[in-house]
Amino acid sequence: SAVISQKPSRDICQRGTSLTIQCQVDSQVTMMFWYRQQPGQSLTLIATANQGSEATYESGFVIDKFPISRPNLTFSTLTVSNMSPEDSSIYLCSVARGASYEQYFGPGTRLTVT
Amino acid sequence: ILNVEQSPQSLHVQEGDSTNFTCSFPSSNFYALHWYRWETAKSPEALFVMTLNGDEKKKGRISATLNTKEGYSYLYIKGSQPEDSATYLCALFQGAQKLVFGQGTRLTINP
């Protein structure tokens, strides 16, 4: 298993500003994942954070909007840039274990953009 | 686009009753089906990872079955308790290093 913490747990932000979310894992992992759940929607993968290389973004998500850092094997950050109300979501980081990719999640960051 | 469908979207059940809900997915190129429980303000927690057609898994009062040929999985809760109130997510793993999630079933247990 893995223990994952996220900061902040929640925030209310003004339109046009940026927020950086931190994710810390209690053990070294190769890949970390960032997800978003907009109200009433599925949990959707934003990107995979790879240590030592650029993050891999899913269709519909771009680096300018969601820059990701991965400075070491236990830590990653996701920035939500130039926020709009549509960015109001729960953001989760996770790691995967095992051949079937069982996911271990952080507690999430609940973001409200006004 | 891969579609994972869950039904119903929400469910209210009396304490002590049993309930079940469904996850449907495309049956081709199947690798694994995951079930998670997500309580408010907590981390989603893995319940089951199922890989074989006909798989049945059990954890206390919760069990799940898998039919990969017809593309569905059922999650059952026997004798619901208030602590079972949560959103239940299923997710499909087809390799390619990512999971595709359904929208979830929000379960509320009425005391």
Side-chain angles (χ1 to χ4, degrees), chain A residues 6-17:
Chain A
Q6 277 184 244
K7 288 183 191 179
S9 59
R10 58 175 61 232
D11 208 341
I12 300 173
C13 299
Q14 299 273 356
R15 181 196 298 258
T17 62

Side-chain angles (χ1 to χ4, degrees), chain A residues 4 31 33 35 37 40-45 48 58 90 92 99-108 110, chain B residues 4 9 31-32 34 36 38 40-46 49 51 87 89 93 97-103:
Chain A
I4 302 174
M31 289 188 289
F33 304 92
Y35 287 87
Q37 188 186 44
Q41 303 296 313
S42 307
L43 201 56
T44 303
L45 182 64
T48 302
E58 297 300 307
I90 300 173
L92 290 156
S100 295
Y101 246 55
E102 184 169 329
Q103 301 268 303
Y104 296 89
F105 288 92
R110 188 178 293 270
Chain B
V4 178
Q9 287 191 14
Y31 196 97
H34 297 208
Y36 294 85
W38 192 3
T40 303
K42 294 187 179 179
S43 308
E45 170 201 359
V49 178
T51 56
T87 297
L89 299 169
F93 179 54
Q97 299 181 330
K98 63 182 179 184
L99 293 179
V100 177
F101 283 84
Q103 286 185 302

Side-chain angles (χ1 to χ4, degrees), chain A residues 3-61:
Chain A
V3 177
I4 302 174
S5 59
Q6 277 184 244
K7 288 183 191 179
S9 59
R10 58 175 61 232
D11 208 341
I12 300 173
C13 299
Q14 299 273 356
R15 181 196 298 258
T17 62
S18 298
L19 176 73
T20 296
I21 302 168
Q22 299 179 6
C23 179
Q24 180 76 51
V25 188
D26 67 341
S27 56
Q28 293 185 341
V29 291
T30 306
M31 289 188 289
M32 294 173 72
F33 304 92
W34 287 99
Y35 287 87
R36 174 177 80 176
Q37 188 186 44
Q38 294 176 298
Q41 303 296 313
S42 307
L43 201 56
T44 303
L45 182 64
I46 298 171
T48 302
N50 308 303
Q51 199 273 331
S53 64
E54 292 270 327
T56 305
Y57 289 84
E58 297 300 307
S59 176
F61 297 97

Side-chain angles (χ1 to χ4, degrees), chain A residues 43-107:
Chain A
L43 201 56
T44 303
L45 182 64
I46 298 171
T48 302
N50 308 303
Q51 199 273 331
S53 64
E54 292 270 327
T56 305
Y57 289 84
E58 297 300 307
S59 176
F61 297 97
V62 294
I63 188 170
D64 289 346
K65 176 67 176 176
F66 298 102
I68 286 171
S69 79
R70 183 79 198 274
N72 58 52
L73 289 173
T74 63
F75 186 79
S76 178
T77 67
L78 170 77
T79 299
V80 186
S81 303
N82 188 24
M83 288 184 283
S84 66
E86 293 70 41
D87 294 319
S88 297
S89 299
I90 300 173
Y91 292 85
L92 290 156
C93 68
S94 76
V95 303
R97 298 260 198 241
S100 295
Y101 246 55
E102 184 169 329
Q103 301 268 303
Y104 296 89
F105 288 92

Side-chain angles (χ1 to χ4, degrees), chain B:
Chain B
I1 296 176
L2 178 60
N3 236 6
V4 178
E5 302 276 347
Q6 289 188 249
S7 63
Q9 287 191 14
S10 67
L11 195 52
H12 290 253
V13 175
Q14 282 300 120
E15 183 176 352
D17 287 351
S18 296
T19 188
N20 66 84
F21 27 93
T22 307
C23 175
S24 303
F25 51 87
S27 56
S28 59
N29 299 320
F30 178 86
Y31 196 97
L33 191 284
H34 297 208
W35 280 102
Y36 294 85
R37 175 169 61 200
W38 192 3
E39 295 179 66
T40 303
K42 294 187 179 179
S43 308
E45 170 201 359
L47 289 173
F48 306 114
V49 178
M50 308 174 79
T51 56
L52 299 175
N53 185 43
D55 240 355
E56 288 189 31
K57 298 222 170 174
K58 190 174 179 183
K59 193 175 187 177
R61 294 179 291 98
I62 303 177
S63 60
T65 60
L66 177 66
N67 184 321
T68 61
K69 292 184 179 174
E70 295 183 31
Y72 64 83
S73 175
Y74 293 140
L75 189 82
Y76 301 90
I77 302 178
K78 186 177 176 183
S80 304
Q81 300 297 310
E83 60 265 27
D84 296 327
S85 295
T87 297
Y88 291 82
L89 299 169
C90 74
L92 188 66
F93 179 54
Q94 288 191 320
Q97 299 181 330
K98 63 182 179 184
L99 293 179
V100 177
F101 283 84
Q103 286 185 302
T105 293
R106 184 188 290 268
L107 176 65
T108 304
I109 308 301
N110 301 316

